[in-house]
Amino acid sequence: MRENNPLKAAADKLAETVKDGDEPEAVVPGKPASRTPSLEEPTEPHEPLPPKSDQEKPAPHTATGRPTGGSSEEFSQGGAYLTNAQGIRLPDSDHSLKAGPRGPVLMQDHHLREKIMHFDHERIPERVVHARGAAAHGVFRGYGTAASVTKAAFLGKDVETPVFTRFSTVVGSRGSMDTARDTRGFATKFYTSEGVYDLVANNIPVFFIQDAIKFPDVVHAAKPHPDREIPQAQSAHDTFWDFVSTHTEAFHHTIWFMADRGIPRSFRTMEGFGVHTWRLVNEQGETTLAKFHWKPKAGVHSQVWEEAQITGGVDPDFHRRDLADAIEAGAHPQWELGIQTFPDTPEQTFEGIDLLDPTKIVPEELAPVQPIGLLTLDANPSNYFAETEQVAFHPGHLVPGIDVTDDPLLAGRLFSYLDTQITRLGGPNFAQLPINRPHAPVNDMLRDGMHQTAVHNGVAPYKPNSLDGGCPFFAGSDEGGYVEVPASVAASKKVRQSPESFADHFTQPRLLWLSLSAVEREHMISAFTFELGKCYENAIKERTLRALAEVDPHLCEQVAEGLGLPAPAATRELPSLRPSPALSQVGDKWPTAGRMIGIVADDNADLSAVRALRDQVFDGDMVPLVFAPAGGELGAGGDDPVTVQRTFATGRSIEVDALILVGNIAQGKDSFAARDAKAWSGTVEEAVDPRALQLLTEAYRHAKAVGGLTAARPVFETAGVPTDAPGVVIGDDGAAVLREIVDLLGYHRVWERFPADA
């Protein structure tokens, strides 16, 4: 039994918040509130319930960045009685004030007016892009290894900085699904001692465009068609591919999310990239160019396409639920922050790669990623709107030691991010919202405006002044002031054009293709074939095939065959490139902490084996989910019943990373097609519940590790799953079966089960 087990500790912590008599296994993530509700509606007044143990609010700072010294509950409403917004207690909130029970509603009903007015305005404009997001609080610990290249204080050795990280899709609306094929945002707000620093990243290291002036074009092309407002959260439509095929600088980004990166397994298994090249400054004033990378400790993993489609239907909130449940369970996600560094030369190139081109990467074999700190997300938001929705990021939120470069995409982002917050958040004072407040003193001389919550002193918000004693004063670099690097600006004519080095749009997409494993290439062929197959116009398909021909003939031929179109030839001799292993997700072995293990059983199963497996999964820093024909408990009424987390009607294999069956699963009472279509088993009456067969065959088809105790062998035989196939483990000893399953899980999937076209 492991000591200091974070999952066990989280379970114990959560157990402290539940009432006596609660079922102890309810500590599995997903409990909606900090108390178990009574059957009848409570009538005894009491203060609001505390948040759950996994939740955290913004740290208590004033609108001007001062720590209040109080509790984060300062941001919570209190009191046992319902009031209006002015604190007046209300006797009723179910009935409008009327002239008699059947009379007209009276205009004087001020409570009705206030309640409806606030409801009418409780939604703010969603983000144009990155609207659908999920976030968490955490801490960043610097390693001190970046000291030679940057003086940023938060990167100092063992310096701990509170953070708030938001993950998101790009194209879909707030109501879209998590698992759409799309780019993901990975934005982190560091509340440093020197002010707020925002690292606004994506899970793909390049962008669609080289110049911000084209950002409206790519977004308009990727969004739903303006006449029908379809398709939602998808790139599989004519306007997107029309843009990509006519504007080939977008092709490198496109081929990245046509690979498996476009459908991540989890936010916890996503890489993050700062995309741009930044300029770092050390204490001596020396400069270095750098690119930022987030490397997940759990490895980089994705869903397979069918899995993503199923997930979007049965659980469109899959990624946000996965993140929140992992944190609640104590499996705190972690990423290492790393940098690639390059000499700050006048040309701003490295090994022939233009560092100002945001559609290009520098392969890690040429410039290794050097770790500089560790991010741990350890608390969920307590309110989605106040935190996840109202958090405002900006690439121009910088601290001393980090500066911008002349990347033309970055230049536009420095304007756009501020501009959009004014519309979304109702005015210029969005930095005063609790989630955005700096944890460093603020004295900005900015005044008034919508939603001004600071109460300023003094009469002279201008410089220079004497009436306020000259305060606030300027800070030079010695006092921690932010001083821009005095970089040289080349004298030239004003033009609207890109440098020649931006013109190669296909060499790096070819590098990605050549760096992928055989199975990843098959997934990319399938993705292109599906996406282009959803387009109506053949001209768009043919134009895209021309671009694919410039990447690789096999890729082009296979997609063309799926579309029923001829494959064009490349217009140039394709370069011979050395693959970059860092671009593939397949091959390495990764930690399994935080992974989900499904345990399938029914009342006839050996419940002692179920309990042992569940405890062993916890001891391995993973999360067990018990699947059964019905909810409630297995062995109800016995001495040690087992709580069921998923029924066959509500659970699917997509929720777990591996599956273990503990017996021959008999038909459930609701196992008939009129009640649950998944229970349809054809014309043959099966002894095994068809939904258990579906769980097994689905997991097997998606190349997940599957196992079972010997008693479950008939389920494998009925399902047609060979017990001697790669990644299938059958045995008498549950602990031994689990050990083999976990070893396989380190590779994410049993890739040998996917034979690829050579």
Side-chain angles (χ1 to χ4, degrees):
M1 189 72 73
R2 294 180 54 158
E3 294 183 1
N4 300 320
N5 185 319
L7 291 172
K8 290 280 191 183
D12 293 341
K13 186 177 179 183
L14 184 58
E16 293 172 4
T17 69
V18 299
K19 288 182 178 179
D20 293 340
D22 277 352
E23 213 294 307
E25 294 176 48
V27 295
V28 168
K31 187 176 179 64
S34 59
R35 294 285 187 273
T36 299
S38 59
L39 181 61
E40 304 298 334
E41 180 181 357
T43 57
E44 187 67 29
H46 59 78
E47 289 290 318
L49 297 179
K52 295 199 302 177
S53 60
D54 63 293
Q55 295 176 327
E56 186 174 290
K57 289 183 169 62
H61 285 69
T62 69
T64 54
R66 297 175 184 271
T68 66
S71 164
S72 61
E73 290 306 305
E74 291 176 12
F75 298 125
S76 301
Q77 293 191 347
Y81 295 94
L82 178 67
T83 73
N84 67 9
Q86 311 309 314
I88 310 302
R89 291 185 181 183
L90 298 169
D92 184 287
S93 192
D94 294 330
H95 307 94
S96 301
L97 191 64
K98 298 186 289 289
R102 298 177 58 81
V105 174
L106 301 180
M107 191 174 182
Q108 71 183 66
D109 190 347
H110 53 88
H111 173 48
L112 168 68
R113 171 75 178 101
E114 181 185 73
K115 185 176 180 180
I116 296 297
M117 176 275 295
H118 198 280
F119 170 76
D120 288 344
H121 297 278
E122 69 182 26
R123 292 290 176 267
I124 63 174
E126 66 177 34
R127 291 167 169 87
V128 176
V129 288
H130 298 280
R132 182 169 182 82
H137 296 273
V139 64
F140 177 84
R141 179 173 58 84
Y143 292 165
T145 50
S148 63
V149 292
T150 177
K151 60 184 179 181
F154 78 98
L155 295 173
K157 183 172 176 56
D158 293 330
V159 174
E160 293 196 346
T161 302
V163 299
F164 188 73
T165 296
R166 186 179 189 270
F167 305 96
S168 56
T169 54
V170 172
V171 175
S173 69
R174 269 190 63 186
S176 60
M177 64 181 178
D178 282 346
T179 56
R181 183 179 292 281
D182 198 355
T183 307
R184 264 74 182 178
F186 187 145
T188 301
K189 186 175 289 291
F190 297 81
Y191 304 96
T192 86
S193 61
E194 300 177 295
V196 166
Y197 169 59
D198 288 344
L199 178 51
V200 190
N202 285 337
N203 76 322
I204 289 175
V206 292
F207 207 65
F208 280 108
I209 52 177
Q210 295 167 327
D211 192 308
I213 199 170
K214 291 174 288 196
F215 193 75
D217 300 301
V218 66
V219 173
H220 290 166
K223 285 287 188 177
H225 291 205
D227 54 349
R228 300 186 179 189
E229 187 63 12
I230 57 174
Q232 175 62 243
Q234 296 181 58
S235 54
H237 55 91
D238 288 75
T239 60
F240 174 78
W241 289 99
D242 183 37
F243 178 84
V244 168
S245 61
T246 55
H247 199 74
T248 53
E249 73 185 54
F251 219 77
H252 193 195
H253 186 117
T254 302
I255 203 169
W256 269 83
F257 81 84
M258 287 296 104
D260 289 343
R261 306 269 184 156
I263 44 175
R265 157 64 180 87
S266 164
F267 293 139
R268 298 181 288 136
T269 60
M270 268 184 4
E271 241 173 325
F273 304 91
V275 178
H276 305 289
T277 300
W278 300 83
R279 180 173 277 113
L280 305 182
V281 190
N282 66 13
E283 289 286 1
Q284 292 74 43
E286 299 164 332
T287 61
T288 303
L289 300 181
K291 287 181 176 288
F292 289 102
H293 295 249
W294 289 113
K295 298 282 189 181
K297 300 289 276 187
V300 187
H301 308 302
S302 296
Q303 291 193 316
V304 296
W305 179 230
E306 186 193 43
E307 233 185 332
Q309 291 176 299
I310 294 171
T311 307
V314 302
D315 189 4
D317 305 309
F318 182 69
H319 283 157
R320 60 174 62 184
R321 189 189 314 282
D322 174 89
L323 176 68
D325 283 358
I327 292 171
E328 184 179 357
H332 298 150
Q334 292 185 316
W335 292 260
E336 231 171 14
L337 180 62
I339 50 173
Q340 289 177 296
T341 58
F342 322 99
D344 189 0
T345 62
E347 297 78 20
Q348 297 178 88
T349 62
F350 182 78
E351 299 288 339
I353 299 167
D354 193 327
L355 297 175
L356 298 187
D357 183 351
T359 68
K360 301 295 192 295
I361 65 166
V362 178
E364 293 183 27
E365 293 72 28
L366 297 180
V369 176
Q370 305 163 71
I372 61 173
L374 181 68
L375 168 68
T376 303
L377 298 182
D378 56 10
N380 287 311
S382 59
N383 184 273
Y384 182 93
F385 179 82
E387 298 168 74
T388 308
E389 186 63 17
Q390 290 197 130
V391 66
F393 296 98
H394 175 38
H397 289 162
L398 301 167
V399 291
I402 303 175
D403 204 345
V404 302
T405 58
D406 293 330
D407 177 337
L409 175 64
L410 177 57
R413 293 180 72 198
L414 294 172
F415 170 83
S416 178
Y417 277 68
L418 276 181
D419 196 49
T420 192
Q421 308 301 351
I422 295 173
T423 295
R424 288 195 63 249
L425 299 173
N429 290 309
F430 56 85
Q432 297 182 22
L433 294 167
I435 195 61
N436 296 321
R437 290 177 180 176
H439 294 192
V442 174
N443 195 350
D444 55 20
M445 292 198 303
L446 305 176
R447 291 294 185 266
D448 307 337
M450 294 287 287
H451 307 137
Q452 175 62 256
T453 57
V455 182
H456 297 97
N457 295 322
V459 296
Y462 51 83
K463 290 289 290 180
N465 77 71
S466 63
L467 291 176
D468 282 345
C471 187
F473 299 92
F474 294 117
S477 58
D478 291 345
E479 293 85 24
Y482 186 91
V483 179
E484 286 80 3
V485 174
S488 298
V489 178
S492 185
K493 295 180 180 179
K494 292 188 293 185
V495 293
R496 291 189 184 272
Q497 63 185 53
S498 294
E500 295 262 339
S501 54
F502 280 35
D504 180 2
H505 299 159
F506 294 112
T507 298
Q508 288 211 339
R510 177 164 174 76
L511 173 65
L512 176 61
W513 168 260
L514 294 176
S515 302
L516 298 180
S517 65
V519 67
E520 289 173 298
R521 292 185 188 183
E522 292 298 328
H523 291 169
M524 182 181 285
I525 291 169
S526 173
F528 271 109
T529 305
F530 175 86
E531 296 265 323
L532 292 168
K534 300 285 274 186
C535 292
Y536 182 87
E537 298 291 352
N538 268 346
I540 291 173
K541 302 175 189 177
E542 292 168 4
R543 197 187 305 134
T544 306
L545 288 172
R546 289 181 191 172
L548 289 175
E550 304 296 332
V551 176
D552 187 83
H554 180 71
L555 171 62
C556 180
E557 290 161 7
Q558 294 301 302
V559 175
E561 183 176 309
L563 297 175
L565 294 171
T571 61
R572 59 173 186 152
E573 182 178 349
L574 298 184
S576 177
L577 303 171
R578 178 182 296 177
S580 172
L583 303 184
S584 172
Q585 296 184 193
V586 176
D588 288 337
K589 192 171 184 180
W590 301 95
T592 57
R595 291 307 192 99
M596 311 288 281
I597 306 292
I599 302 171
V600 186
D602 64 5
D603 274 315
N604 299 315
D606 180 354
L607 295 189
S608 64
V610 175
R611 284 189 286 268
L613 274 172
R614 186 192 56 203
D615 290 344
Q616 289 154 9
V617 170
F618 268 131
D619 289 339
D621 291 347
M622 298 171 291
V623 179
L625 286 182
V626 176
F627 288 71
E633 298 172 336
L634 297 176
D639 292 336
D640 192 7
V642 175
T643 296
V644 175
Q645 279 85 41
R646 298 291 186 272
T647 68
F648 291 166
T650 63
R652 291 293 285 267
S653 69
I654 52 97
E655 296 184 77
V656 297
D657 299 292
L659 206 62
I660 299 177
L661 284 76
V662 188
N664 187 14
I665 311 301
Q667 296 264 3
K669 292 182 179 179
D670 62 343
S671 180
F672 53 95
R675 181 74 60 82
D676 185 349
K678 298 193 299 297
W680 184 81
S681 59
T683 57
V684 180
E685 186 68 28
E686 302 286 6
V688 179
D689 193 305
R691 296 164 301 176
L693 299 176
Q694 183 193 53
L695 280 169
L696 176 58
T697 56
E698 221 170 54
Y700 180 80
R701 192 167 67 246
H702 297 155
K704 295 178 179 178
V706 293
L709 301 188
T710 302
R713 187 178 290 273
V715 184
F716 286 77
E717 294 169 352
T718 304
V721 173
T723 54
D724 59 352
V728 179
V729 183
I730 304 289
D732 293 323
D733 182 355
V737 169
L738 179 62
R739 279 195 299 273
E740 285 194 55
I741 291 290
V742 172
D743 185 65
L744 291 164
L745 191 54
Y747 300 98
H748 183 54
R749 295 186 193 273
V750 185
W751 296 110
E752 311 93 279
R753 214 181 285 157
F754 279 149
D757 183 351

